[in-house]
Amino acid sequence: MSRAAPPAIPEGQRVYAVGDIHGRADLFDHLLEKIAADDGARAPAETTLILLGDLIDRGPGSCQVIERAMELEQSGRDVRFLMGNHEEVFLEALKDPCRETARFFYRIGGGETMLSYGLPEKELIECDSLQLAERMPSLVPQSHIDFLGRFDDQLTIGDYVFVHAGVKPGVPMEEQKQRHLRWIRDEFLHHDRYLGKMVVHGHTVTEAVEERPHRIGVDTGAWSSGLLTAVALEGTERWFVDTADVLQAA
């Protein structure tokens, strides 16, 4: 089944959905400036900013990204946050620092996250993954834990649904399970038919934005590529705002 008409955002609304930031506070700040400039140059609209999850891990500034996101939440702007698989593992390691969870957290970039919270590099080198997880509660503010714990799993606006990883084909949006919304890959990525909504997602890195008839992937690997991307939506229009100018200036 395919959609006859192009997907649309309700009239009077504008949406910017930001892909996986992964601790790149520098790129995040720059992209927010570019989004503000883009939004300000257009006709007035009710603007929603969506962060698609995976704010943390791998890059050097996870703590700073969370603090910036919290500032956005408190600014009075319409900002929504989606739970990524990295936030899920981070919260689980804080809640129950068993060896298996701790090892997985470390493997997916948790060491860099804890450095951003003030863990000395010497201690990171010397401690094992379980010791790292046991140190986490003393370093991570409760306000950050509470903030991440409030993240949503999906958001629908008009003909679009916004998720972190994707959706399970054949399952209604209201019946999607957390593990699919936060973790799914191949079954979703290899699906080639309309899913009831146009799906905007991150989670899976591509060199450039991946636009398909039924989904838009905006994880351009910011933590290593330097390219952080947001898709902008208004009516049936679609455009992109990114940090490519940072790469060109380097």
Side-chain angles (χ1 to χ4, degrees):
M1 180 180 68
S2 61
R3 181 180 172 83
I9 294 294
E11 184 176 357
Q13 297 186 40
R14 184 177 301 135
V15 175
Y16 295 90
V18 179
D20 302 32
I21 302 166
H22 276 307
R24 288 299 303 266
D26 56 337
L27 298 178
F28 185 36
D29 282 342
H30 185 62
L31 185 64
L32 288 175
E33 291 176 358
K34 295 193 69 174
I35 288 173
D38 183 84
D39 191 37
R42 298 175 184 274
E46 296 180 12
T47 300
T48 299
L49 176 67
I50 304 170
L51 305 189
L52 294 171
D54 281 7
L55 282 64
I56 62 170
D57 295 342
R58 295 185 171 149
S62 292
C63 175
Q64 293 74 24
V65 170
I66 292 175
E67 289 176 345
R68 187 74 175 93
M70 292 172 67
E71 291 173 1
L72 289 170
E73 182 187 49
Q74 296 162 7
S75 69
R77 296 174 58 184
D78 185 7
V79 187
R80 302 293 295 272
F81 308 93
L82 298 181
M83 179 76 73
N85 58 306
H86 282 257
E87 282 83 25
E88 178 184 301
V89 174
F90 181 56
L91 291 173
E92 186 60 31
L94 279 160
K95 177 183 176 182
D96 181 21
C98 68
R99 187 170 298 279
E100 182 178 352
T101 302
R103 185 180 297 116
F104 187 56
F105 171 66
Y106 186 85
R107 184 165 67 83
I108 63 174
E112 289 82 357
T113 296
M114 296 319 300
L115 288 175
S116 78
Y117 277 99
L119 181 73
E121 187 170 4
K122 182 176 184 294
E123 188 173 342
L124 176 65
I125 294 171
E126 293 177 349
C127 69
D128 62 23
S129 57
L130 183 57
Q131 291 170 326
L132 174 66
E134 290 172 344
R135 285 281 281 122
M136 290 174 65
S138 66
L139 295 169
V140 180
Q142 186 63 43
S143 59
H144 287 206
I145 298 170
D146 294 341
F147 172 64
L148 295 176
R150 295 194 298 270
F151 282 16
D152 295 316
D153 280 306
Q154 62 173 297
L155 172 65
T156 299
I157 301 178
D159 298 321
Y160 289 85
V161 62
F162 302 85
V163 297
H164 173 63
V167 300
K168 184 174 177 61
V171 177
M173 293 300 169
E174 64 274 13
E175 298 178 17
Q176 293 285 331
K177 297 184 183 300
Q178 283 185 348
R179 68 175 184 272
H180 295 132
L181 297 170
R182 299 176 184 179
W183 291 91
I184 198 168
R185 286 198 198 274
D186 290 352
E187 186 177 1
F188 166 66
L189 298 173
H190 295 162
H191 187 77
D192 61 358
R193 297 185 181 182
Y194 184 59
L195 292 158
K197 297 281 186 183
M198 173 65 85
V199 182
V200 178
H201 66 95
H203 187 58
T204 298
V205 176
T206 50
E207 186 174 339
V209 172
E210 188 169 45
E211 293 185 83
R212 300 291 177 86
H214 58 298
R215 65 179 179 87
I216 306 168
V218 291
D219 181 1
T220 47
W223 72 277
S224 60
S225 70
L227 183 65
L228 180 62
T229 303
V231 57
L233 306 164
E234 184 173 2
T236 57
E237 290 186 76
R238 179 192 311 164
W239 67 99
F240 300 94
V241 185
D242 60 37
T243 61
D245 56 316
V246 174
L247 292 174
Q248 293 165 1

